[in-house]
Amino acid sequence: MSAAISSTTNTQPDLAEAVRDVHRAGMPGIIAEVVDHGETTRECAGFAEAATRTPMTPGLHHRVGSIAKTFTTVALLRLVEEGIVDLDTSISRYLPDHVPGERGEAITVRMLANHTSGLNEYLPIIYDSLRAFPNLAQTSPRSLVEHQFTHFDRRDLIDIGVGAPSAGEPGDVPGRYSNTNYLLLAELIETLTDRDAEEFIRAEVIDPAGLHETYFPTGPVLSAPHTSLYESWFSMADPPVDLTDFDMSWVGPAASLVSTAADLNRFFGLLIGGQLLRPESLEQMQRTVPVVSFEGTTIDYGLGLHRRVADDGTVWWGHDGSVWGGGALTFTRADAHKQITILVNGQRWNSLDDSGRPQPHPIDAALAAVIALGMG
């Protein structure tokens, strides 16, 4: 499959070639935007829609997954700044019926935001073909297709996550990444503001940041021009299944956000540059603990923020995200003078070895090269 390439006049030849290499390695399409001291470079390769060979273009809308957690946390910290929420108060004070008993008293709002609550993930329970996770060899993509248009109730998902076997004791490190935590934060926002969490985040975070292409969708089908998404599920879906249209109620404001590369760079530039929150609030976001991700790696995680150290030793802040068929990564250097956002419309491209572990794939190295160039 040949590449269809689009870029701005601000071109970094190495970055352009690296983006092409991701497509050549097997990714349907990719968008990369690097902002360096105000100079923006956008590179695209491959296809936004594979069947029609529609070229990838930099302004397309894209489901950005758990990057939504940063937006949720900024909204939460707005409430902290107003004195409405205390990060170190038990969640049971605000939501007494959601996490009952001593457990709810032990879990604080901060523990939800930095994934040290010990609450487990509900996803392998509601999607029965993922029940064996993290034993990937015993999973399949069947449930993803079966529930493509299933609407879930948030409170039901929370109850399932709270009722699942504990992932650890409240406050213990390393924490365990769990969407249950952020659904509870959404419930907290709604309880304290008497507004839908998505609407509150829009009014208090998205609009003030001037993000005109960022929103929470209200249905499974996106109306504006967007990427199509192709899920491989560790080569068990061959060819990859198109999961572009999807009811995102299974994760809600924890990961249903739609945005563009430009909007994400703008948002994180404003956030890390200190223009969206008070300095003490940003400091809280950047106070990290070790957290075990869904992939089993340990990351430095603050309140809705990852900390990443580049090869040259510079510190970067951001988040990544994954939905069925799509991925996103956005990081801003600590001085807010350089940023990188990458959007891809394929996911879980690795096959499994005999022990059920994902094997290296050429896409892995190609994406790592784009990240390294962007952070260079």
Side-chain angles (χ1 to χ4, degrees):
M1 182 161 57
S2 61
I5 299 158
S6 172
S7 65
T8 66
T9 54
N10 294 331
T11 300
Q12 297 178 6
D14 291 342
L15 181 63
E17 189 66 15
V19 167
R20 293 185 184 98
D21 284 344
V22 176
H23 174 58
R24 291 170 183 146
M27 181 64 65
I30 174 174
I31 299 168
E33 179 180 285
V34 174
V35 181
D36 189 352
H37 290 81
E39 291 286 325
T40 300
T41 301
R42 299 182 181 95
E43 301 291 349
C44 301
F47 304 103
E49 209 286 319
T52 60
R53 299 173 69 85
T54 303
M56 188 69 90
T57 54
L60 289 174
H61 290 180
H62 187 79
R63 298 189 190 271
V64 300
S66 284
I67 292 172
K69 291 180 171 64
T70 311
F71 287 72
T72 299
T73 307
V74 172
L76 173 70
L77 286 168
R78 290 278 177 84
L79 297 177
V80 172
E81 291 178 351
E82 294 174 14
I84 298 172
V85 175
D86 186 313
L87 290 172
D88 295 310
T89 293
S90 299
I91 190 61
S92 62
R93 172 180 169 183
Y94 302 111
L95 302 174
D97 299 328
H98 288 64
V99 189
E102 294 182 1
R103 195 181 188 194
E105 301 233 348
I107 294 172
T108 65
V109 175
R110 184 188 302 276
M111 292 175 193
L112 296 175
N114 69 10
H115 296 292
T116 60
S117 70
L119 295 174
N120 218 328
E121 176 64 40
Y122 54 81
L123 188 58
I125 300 174
I126 65 170
Y127 286 180
D128 70 297
S129 72
L130 308 187
R131 191 66 54 89
F133 184 86
N135 183 349
L136 296 174
Q138 299 301 315
T139 65
S140 86
R142 174 179 52 80
S143 291
L144 311 186
V145 177
E146 290 178 348
H147 290 292
Q148 193 168 353
F149 299 104
T150 300
H151 189 79
F152 291 96
D153 179 82
R154 184 194 301 158
R155 183 61 189 271
D156 289 343
L157 297 177
I158 290 171
D159 289 345
I160 291 169
V162 171
S166 175
E169 292 300 315
D172 280 359
V173 292
R176 293 277 176 171
Y177 196 94
S178 171
N179 284 308
T180 305
N181 293 317
Y182 273 75
L183 292 193
L184 278 163
L185 290 180
E187 288 284 295
L188 174 62
I189 289 170
E190 292 194 356
T191 298
L192 297 179
T193 66
D194 199 27
R195 298 164 69 182
D196 288 342
E198 292 92 340
E199 167 58 22
F200 184 79
I201 295 167
R202 183 198 62 76
E204 296 294 325
V205 181
I206 294 172
D207 287 352
L211 308 180
H212 303 300
E213 308 298 330
T214 299
Y215 59 96
F216 289 101
T218 57
V221 178
L222 303 183
S223 56
H226 58 274
T227 58
S228 294
L229 306 179
Y230 302 98
E231 178 61 53
S232 296
W233 196 258
F234 306 103
S235 299
M236 296 179 203
D238 187 16
V241 61
D242 185 335
L243 295 178
T244 306
D245 299 335
F246 214 96
D247 188 313
M248 295 298 291
S249 60
W250 67 270
V251 74
S256 65
L257 194 70
V258 173
S259 191
T260 63
D263 263 16
L264 291 181
N265 274 339
R266 174 175 173 81
F267 171 70
F268 280 88
L270 292 172
L271 175 61
I272 304 306
Q275 298 182 60
L276 296 183
L277 292 170
R278 297 173 185 170
E280 58 269 27
S281 297
L282 182 58
E283 188 276 330
Q284 294 288 340
M285 291 190 77
Q286 294 176 326
R287 187 183 298 178
T288 65
V289 295
V291 169
V292 179
S293 70
F294 283 147
E295 293 75 25
T297 59
T298 300
I299 57 177
D300 287 332
Y301 200 89
L303 305 183
L305 274 181
H306 292 198
R307 179 181 184 270
R308 184 169 183 150
V309 180
D311 292 341
D312 63 2
T314 57
V315 173
W316 295 66
W317 295 96
H319 214 290
D320 58 8
S322 175
V323 296
W324 310 126
L329 175 148
T330 183
F331 277 86
T332 293
R333 202 167 62 190
D335 63 7
H337 291 319
K338 192 169 185 182
Q339 302 171 266
I340 178 172
T341 292
I342 299 171
L343 311 177
V344 295
N345 63 346
Q347 276 296 280
R348 285 160 283 273
W349 48 79
N350 308 82
S351 57
L352 304 178
D353 62 19
D354 291 340
S355 65
R357 293 175 299 188
Q359 299 182 80
H361 189 286
I363 290 175
D364 301 330
L367 272 175
V370 174
I371 296 169
L373 282 168
M375 291 186 170

